Amino acid sequence: MLKNGLALAAMTATLAAGAFSIDWIIFDRVDYLADVRVVDPVRYSGELIDEGRYADAEEYAAFWLSLPGVAAEDRQARQVEANRLLAHEKRSELSYQAAEVAKGFLLGESEEDYGRAAGVAADFTLYGDVRDLVREASHWLSNEEVDLLIAALAGAGIGITALSFGPQAGASGTVKAGLSALKAAKRSKRVPVKLFEEAGTVLADAAKSASKAGTKAGTKEASEAAFKTLARLAPLGDLARFTEKEGARAGLEVLARSEHLADITRVIKAAEPFGENAAAALRTLGPDFVRVSEKRGAAEVKAVARFGPDAVTKLERVPAKTFLRDMRHLKAIATESIYRVIRLCLRTVEILFSVITGLISVAGFLSSVISWLRRFGKREEVRSA
């Protein structure tokens, strides 16, 4: 009986060892990928079109098609290209373009760069700032909600205009462009509250400096105060230059990822390597994009970007080369459903081994006890005889 038990234990141990080995070789080393949600670019770009977000759809499709590992002849790539062309066609309609320009200039709101450019053009004149102040004042008179930050930005814009006279005129111009971007960002309701709170504090100081510059115009003290204020707003100047190069949409995405004014420069550095695709990269590669880019570099981020934001996050754990190797390995194993079935079978063998080993151990212990009792009984019989 004991021999049979030992044989069964040996066989079970062999099966379990095999299961453990297979589990590690096939699954354990890629287990960190189990929670990666791979974005389907065809479905995602199609959903953007259905929502009427044609600019987002075209930008995303162009970005995805430009990534390493995407072959233009693949069926998926052809479908993404078809979505890109459809979104481009919608954006090319004159009625759409006219509506976006009007929205940008009159309301300061637009989904297109040319519409935002119209809004920026308005903001560079007193018209844009007065427009926003009048609108918020009408809200106040009608007992409607007043956007205090928009009003503050408009007031600061008028104040910055006062700083536009003198040696600091060049710097004030880029800051004014940054203020316009802040207005657009505020209306989008996607920018962190902390950024606006900090900007509000700095802009309040800017208004004071503008007041001093007005009373002491032309003096050295006034120029120094203006330069000091503009230095604190320097990230807005960086934002304005980046926006001029890559477009207003990219500038808005920079603000959406910036918790503080100082973060603006960090986000820009992470986005610049993506060039014309900067807006799409910032919008779609997840909350860890900037931090991972600083750690791994833009090339590694681009290498895994086609899989989506979860893939970018995993670069905090492994380099892109390892991630791509393991993704190929995981794809070769099976689909997710088969993956779960195989993993369950392996786990069952491992648990079965543990149970049988425990039972055999108990059986061995009981067998030893019985054998001892028999020997003890025989010794007692011999003594009594």
Side-chain angles (χ1 to χ4, degrees), residues 61-85:
F63 169 56
W64 189 85
L65 290 167
S66 72
L67 293 170
V70 175
E73 66 273 11
D74 289 348
R75 179 183 61 83
Q76 189 178 50
R78 291 198 300 270
Q79 291 175 321
V80 173
E81 173 63 11
N83 284 344
R84 188 193 69 79
L85 291 174

Side-chain angles (χ1 to χ4, degrees), residues 114-172:
Y114 51 80
R116 290 198 177 101
V120 170
D123 286 331
F124 262 99
T125 67
L126 283 178
Y127 165 76
D129 295 320
V130 172
R131 172 201 65 197
D132 294 330
L133 283 174
V134 169
R135 181 167 54 191
E136 298 309 321
S138 67
H139 290 166
W140 179 74
L141 291 173
S142 302
N143 291 322
E144 298 176 358
E145 184 178 357
V146 176
D147 193 325
L148 296 177
L149 185 59
I150 291 293
L153 288 171
I158 295 174
I160 294 296
T161 301
L163 297 180
S164 299
F165 302 98
Q168 68 276 1
S172 66

Side-chain angles (χ1 to χ4, degrees), residues 23 26 35 39 63 139 150 159 167 282 344 353:
D23 196 14
I26 296 181
D35 62 344
V39 175
F63 169 56
H139 290 166
I150 291 293
L282 287 167
L344 178 61
F353 166 70

Side-chain angles (χ1 to χ4, degrees), residues 23 69 87 102-104 115 124 146 149 198 228 246 248 294 329-330 358 365:
D23 196 14
K103 285 163 58 179
F124 262 99
V146 176
L149 185 59
E198 182 179 346
K228 185 176 180 181
E246 304 299 348
E294 291 173 338
H329 180 76
L330 184 62
F365 173 76

Side-chain angles (χ1 to χ4, degrees), residues 6-20 349 353-354 356-357 360:
L6 292 174
L8 179 61
M11 182 180 67
T12 307
T14 302
L15 289 173
F20 278 122
V349 171
F353 166 70
S354 300
I356 292 177
T357 301
I360 291 174

Side-chain angles (χ1 to χ4, degrees), residues 48-355:
L48 292 175
I49 292 173
D50 293 340
E51 294 170 8
R53 297 165 57 187
Y54 305 123
D56 288 350
E58 184 176 0
E59 280 184 349
Y60 171 75
F63 169 56
W64 189 85
L65 290 167
S66 72
L67 293 170
V70 175
E73 66 273 11
D74 289 348
R75 179 183 61 83
Q76 189 178 50
R78 291 198 300 270
Q79 291 175 321
V80 173
E81 173 63 11
N83 284 344
R84 188 193 69 79
L85 291 174
L86 176 59
H88 181 74
E89 181 181 347
K90 293 289 186 181
R91 296 176 73 191
S92 300
E93 295 177 359
L94 290 177
S95 58
Y96 172 84
Q97 295 175 357
E100 290 299 316
V101 170
K103 285 163 58 179
F105 189 84
L106 298 176
L107 303 177
E109 302 172 0
S110 176
E111 291 299 316
E112 297 289 346
D113 276 0
Y114 51 80
R116 290 198 177 101
V120 170
D123 286 331
F124 262 99
T125 67
L126 283 178
Y127 165 76
D129 295 320
V130 172
R131 172 201 65 197
D132 294 330
L133 283 174
V134 169
R135 181 167 54 191
E136 298 309 321
S138 67
H139 290 166
W140 179 74
L141 291 173
S142 302
N143 291 322
E144 298 176 358
E145 184 178 357
V146 176
D147 193 325
L148 296 177
L149 185 59
I150 291 293
L153 288 171
I158 295 174
I160 294 296
T161 301
L163 297 180
S164 299
F165 302 98
Q168 68 276 1
S172 66
T174 56
V175 169
K176 193 145 174 62
L179 290 177
S180 179
L182 276 178
K183 285 185 186 179
K186 181 62 172 64
R187 295 189 185 100
S188 74
K189 298 180 181 179
R190 295 178 52 235
V191 179
V193 175
K194 290 182 180 179
L195 175 63
F196 282 122
E197 290 176 348
E198 182 179 346
T201 301
V202 177
L203 290 172
D205 293 340
K208 293 178 182 178
S209 294
S211 176
K212 291 180 180 179
T215 57
K216 301 179 181 180
T219 66
K220 181 179 179 181
E221 180 183 352
S223 296
E224 290 178 351
F227 274 121
K228 185 176 180 181
T229 298
L230 293 172
R232 295 177 66 189
L233 294 170
L236 294 181
D238 294 337
L239 175 65
R241 285 183 285 271
F242 177 75
T243 299
E244 183 180 0
K245 180 181 178 182
E246 304 299 348
R249 293 173 60 79
L252 179 59
E253 296 302 330
V254 167
L255 287 173
R257 286 183 172 272
S258 302
E259 287 284 340
H260 303 282
L261 284 172
D263 294 334
I264 290 174
T265 304
R266 289 182 56 228
V267 177
I268 289 174
K269 287 182 179 179
E272 280 180 330
F274 290 83
E276 62 184 8
N277 295 313
L282 287 167
R283 188 183 310 112
T284 62
L285 294 186
D288 301 316
F289 165 65
V290 175
R291 185 170 64 254
V292 171
S293 294
E294 291 173 338
K295 180 178 181 179
R296 298 287 185 185
E300 293 210 28
V301 172
K302 288 180 181 180
V304 306
R306 69 182 185 275
F307 298 106
D310 287 353
V312 174
T313 297
K314 292 301 179 183
L315 291 185
E316 290 195 292
R317 175 173 175 175
V318 298
K321 183 178 180 180
T322 300
F323 177 89
L324 293 173
R325 181 201 66 195
D326 291 342
M327 282 296 289
R328 288 192 296 269
H329 180 76
L330 184 62
K331 186 177 180 180
I333 294 173
T335 62
E336 182 179 356
S337 58
I338 298 176
Y339 170 93
R340 293 180 182 278
V341 171
I342 296 175
R343 195 73 190 270
L344 178 61
C345 291
L346 291 172
R347 292 300 188 196
T348 301
V349 171
E350 294 169 8
I351 293 171
L352 182 62
F353 166 70
S354 300
V355 172

